[in-house]
Amino acid sequence: MPDTTLRFSTFDLADPDEAALRAGYEQVLASIEAAHDDSARIDGLAQWDAMRRTYASWRSLVSLRFQQNTGDARAKSRRQIADRLNAQVALRDADVKRSLLDATDANALEAETGAQVIDCWRADLEANAPELEPDMVEESRLVAKYVELLAGAEIPFRGETYSFTTLTPLTRSADRETREGAMRAACTWRAQNLEELDEIFDELVKLRAGMAAKVGLSDFVELGYRRMHRVDYDRKDVERFRDEVRRLVVPLATDLRAAQATKLGLDELMFWDESIQDPAGNPKPIGGTAELIERGRRVFHGVHPEIGTFFDGLVDREMLDLDVRGGKAGGGFCTFIDKLRSPFIFANCTGSQDDVRVLVHEAGHAFQMWSSRMLRFSDQIMPTYEACEIHSMALEFLAWPEMEQFFGDDADRYRRNHLADALTFLPYGVAVDHFQHLVYERPEATPAERHAMWQEMEALYLPSRKYGGMPHFADGALWQRQRHIYGMPFYYIDYTLAQTCALQMWARAFEDREGTLADYVALCKRGGTMSFQKLAASAGIISPFETGCLESVVTRAREWLTQNA
Ligand code: ZN
């Protein structure tokens, strides 16, 4: 039994013995192949699952400890071991899945794991066919080249040199001249590197198109969907959703931008003004990180007793790291450490309103992992990405009535910014998705043609955007800054699908807060046992692929924003 009273600071796991790991997989495979009946094969599945939990716990721990202190030599060398082993383990996992699917009666297997797990395995086996292995290595190399190019950027601005991370806060400065200047500096660097960024992407697109052809798929869109485990919808469904966003949300977003310009006292809202909602600057939470955690306890107890108790346990077991430190990696995420049967929240809090957004968002992911941690097989714990983001984005909205705890009198300003940001994000999110479809449907297009495709997307979804002659962005190249487009193709629509679901829960909570919260908690407990649309339906959410899913939400949002202007 895992020890749930352990504290994170004293927890560690031994590095895996490579030979023993290999032998473990061989033994599992041999036992499945030698099994005389399905029940013996299911024993093999259970044995494999136990091995995977041990390995996954170590992998999560090693990655987390490295990100907590990237300068630590031991943490770095352990992460390098994990990088090497992860690729091998993924291949062996595919062998086990293939052998289980080939040898076992489909109904017998499904009776144990549920249909969703099996559907994801099938998608995995197609997406990770052994003949694609050399292409995958090349793909990782190209993605790493993109990441390194951006990470190494040295951007001169007002006599100093910045990276994208250190320059970003200045692009959101309350001082207009500063934010425009900082953005111009970033764009100048991007324009100087435009050709290389185009070249990397061109190689990636051609490589991916070739991979799809190798496994007999019509284009990379099909392969990309399998990689993302899109088992219950296809590109036609996604296309219908984008149309709904264009029909209903684009006009609202255009109105919101116009209202934002008026509020900021500007004749024209330029691209560099978009992140500023309010002339007073964005609201800040009360106190520092320790205060944020203590207030967080009260907030989550206020939202739902189960979420409150869960969050107390997380704090007591030291499963959060929110402080900014030298050597700590940037960003925020939630990871699961199976051996502790617990999630861990990692973030960098700087005293801005984003600290609250990130804490509540990651707490939503964490609560889902906690709620489904006791499911029988590890593949049942985590749902697909678009479903995962419902847990996080919905909690951001369900925590609204408690925001006074964090912001005092500024809570209304926070709620307004949050809703406006959530709505104006949707057109951008679908533009990123639509663009990728155009790119992979015509992989032979030139870089210049791709820039024209992006401008076509901006005209469709972001008609009010004004770049004011900003280099690079004005030339149809803004998509180059979206790392998902390079590193995780088709991973983006997920945020817009989940936001559509979260907004439905936001609207419903006004009418029936208790019922909505009960559905939310039950949804988290279901983990990854169902596909996206089934999970959504189980929580009373209309699928984003049904016409009208956004209709009532948009009406309610307009009404709320007018009443709370
Ligand atoms: Zn998330």
Side-chain angles (χ1 to χ4, degrees):
M1 267 305 278
D3 185 349
T4 51
T5 59
L6 263 172
R7 269 156 179 69
F8 186 73
S9 54
T10 55
F11 176 72
D12 203 6
L13 287 168
D15 293 348
D17 176 280
E18 219 174 316
L21 191 67
R22 206 175 309 121
Y25 270 95
E26 274 160 23
Q27 204 212 323
V28 164
L29 278 163
S31 80
I32 293 169
E33 271 150 36
H36 292 296
D37 56 22
D38 287 339
S39 120
R41 276 183 281 272
I42 304 299
D43 289 343
L45 160 62
Q47 201 190 330
W48 168 54
D49 197 64
M51 260 173 58
R52 291 176 86 195
R53 285 177 189 266
T54 305
Y55 183 76
S57 300
W58 175 79
R59 181 181 56 201
S60 301
L61 184 72
V62 163
S63 162
L64 175 58
R65 286 255 156 86
F66 171 71
Q67 300 195 67
Q68 287 186 296
N69 188 1
T70 57
D72 183 273
R74 180 161 178 266
K76 193 170 180 176
S77 79
R78 290 179 98 191
R79 204 217 56 190
Q80 284 162 345
I81 301 173
D83 284 347
R84 189 164 47 79
L85 289 182
N86 287 344
Q88 294 174 27
V89 165
L91 285 169
R92 294 294 80 79
D93 282 337
D95 290 341
V96 179
K97 289 173 192 173
R98 200 173 297 113
S99 137
L100 279 168
L101 288 170
D102 285 349
T104 325
D105 173 69
N107 292 326
L109 197 56
E110 206 181 295
E112 301 292 328
T113 64
Q116 172 67 7
V117 169
I118 305 294
D119 290 346
C120 288
W121 287 1
R122 287 193 206 284
D124 270 340
L125 291 183
E126 264 192 286
N128 301 299
E131 64 265 36
L132 298 181
E133 212 195 316
D135 297 321
M136 289 182 197
V137 174
E138 175 61 3
E139 190 181 10
S140 309
R141 188 190 68 81
L142 288 167
V143 174
K145 199 171 161 190
Y146 169 79
V147 173
E148 279 163 27
L149 178 62
L150 289 182
E154 291 184 351
I155 307 161
F157 178 56
R158 292 184 180 169
E160 309 255 351
T161 303
Y162 291 87
S163 67
F164 278 108
T165 311
T166 54
L167 191 67
T168 300
L170 296 177
T171 65
R172 294 175 189 159
S173 165
D175 176 54
R176 198 180 193 206
E177 224 169 281
T178 302
R179 59 181 187 259
E180 183 189 345
M183 197 172 275
R184 215 166 266 283
C187 280
T188 303
W189 185 92
R190 288 182 194 282
Q192 284 158 357
N193 290 274
L194 177 104
E195 256 171 64
E196 186 166 2
L197 290 164
D198 268 336
E199 259 168 43
I200 297 172
F201 191 58
D202 192 57
E203 284 186 58
L204 277 169
V205 170
K206 296 203 160 99
L207 179 73
R208 286 168 179 157
M211 290 165 90
K214 260 190 203 171
V215 292
L217 294 168
S218 58
D219 60 19
F220 180 75
V221 181
E222 294 301 314
L223 184 57
Y225 274 43
R226 282 165 178 78
R227 282 186 181 187
M228 293 300 296
H229 292 158
R230 309 228 190 278
V231 296
D232 70 342
Y233 57 96
D234 61 21
R235 61 214 276 176
K236 286 274 155 224
D237 296 308
V238 173
E239 194 181 321
R240 263 200 326 280
F241 171 68
R242 293 194 305 252
D243 286 345
E244 282 294 275
V245 171
R246 194 165 69 217
R247 183 172 75 88
L248 293 161
V249 186
V250 171
L252 173 62
T254 304
D255 292 349
L256 286 174
R257 292 298 184 206
Q260 196 180 345
T262 310
K263 200 164 190 177
L264 293 173
L266 302 172
D267 292 338
E268 269 193 319
L269 187 87
M270 303 306 290
F271 182 58
W272 47 91
D273 302 317
E274 287 187 5
S275 62
I276 311 293
Q277 289 284 353
D278 203 310
N282 295 332
K284 291 183 166 49
I286 303 162
T289 311
E291 183 95 24
L292 192 73
I293 293 174
E294 283 318 304
R295 286 170 187 268
R297 286 186 196 257
R298 298 204 286 277
V299 165
F300 294 123
H301 275 284
V303 176
H304 192 283
E306 279 188 53
I307 305 177
T309 307
F310 146 76
F311 189 75
D312 285 343
L314 213 61
V315 176
D316 296 343
R317 278 176 283 112
E318 307 166 344
M319 300 298 283
L320 299 100
D321 179 356
L322 307 182
D323 293 312
V324 177
R325 293 185 304 273
K328 183 177 168 181
F333 60 84
C334 178
T335 186
F336 184 68
I337 299 173
D338 203 297
K339 285 286 160 193
L340 288 170
R341 283 283 202 269
S342 178
F344 186 102
I345 294 177
F346 177 99
N348 283 282
C349 292
T350 55
S352 78
Q353 66 170 358
D354 291 343
D355 296 355
V356 170
R357 283 280 281 284
V358 172
L359 177 65
V360 179
H361 181 100
E362 300 307 337
H365 286 308
F367 181 64
Q368 176 265 309
M369 294 177 195
W370 171 257
S371 302
S372 58
R373 73 195 184 286
M374 301 309 273
L375 288 167
R376 187 166 161 212
F377 295 112
S378 47
D379 277 342
Q380 295 172 316
I381 297 174
M382 295 298 294
T384 44
Y385 291 124
E386 69 307 65
C388 280
E389 295 302 332
I390 308 178
H391 313 122
S392 52
M393 289 173 155
L395 188 60
E396 289 179 38
F397 285 116
L398 294 171
W400 264 27
E402 305 295 326
M403 284 300 118
E404 271 72 8
Q405 294 273 8
F406 286 128
F407 293 104
D409 293 342
D410 268 344
D412 266 331
R413 289 208 299 134
Y414 171 81
R415 286 185 279 259
R416 220 166 29 234
N417 292 355
H418 177 202
L419 183 61
D421 286 344
L423 292 161
T424 50
F425 169 73
L426 290 174
Y428 173 72
V430 298
V432 168
D433 180 68
H434 194 164
F435 171 69
Q436 296 185 79
H437 282 79
L438 295 184
V439 164
Y440 291 107
E441 280 162 8
R442 226 160 61 71
E444 71 287 359
T446 63
E449 287 172 319
R450 289 190 195 116
H451 293 251
M453 287 173 187
W454 176 253
Q455 286 182 318
E456 202 187 310
M457 297 300 93
E458 290 184 329
L460 268 184
Y461 300 105
L462 304 159
S464 57
R465 187 167 272 183
K466 293 181 191 76
Y467 292 119
M470 184 72 73
H472 190 263
F473 286 177
D475 305 324
L478 178 127
W479 59 271
Q480 290 186 341
R481 73 174 191 170
Q482 192 62 62
R483 67 191 156 77
H484 300 69
I485 295 178
Y486 284 79
M488 281 278 253
F490 295 103
Y491 184 9
Y492 214 70
I493 197 73
D494 304 70
Y495 299 115
T496 63
L497 296 172
Q499 192 72 279
T500 301
C501 297
L503 283 163
Q504 289 182 47
M505 289 196 129
W506 165 79
R508 192 183 144 207
F510 288 106
E511 320 306 326
D512 174 17
R513 184 161 172 83
E514 237 168 81
T516 311
L517 277 165
D519 278 346
Y520 173 79
V521 169
L523 175 73
C524 290
K525 289 181 182 171
R526 270 174 220 120
T529 56
M530 294 177 184
S531 63
F532 166 61
Q533 291 193 81
K534 285 188 182 135
L535 283 170
S538 78
I541 295 165
I542 304 171
S543 163
F545 306 124
E546 272 179 46
T547 308
C549 66
L550 278 162
E551 200 108 50
S552 60
V553 165
V554 166
T555 309
R556 186 73 185 88
R558 258 191 204 281
E559 193 184 278
W560 191 91
L561 287 164
T562 313
Q563 285 162 357
N564 296 276

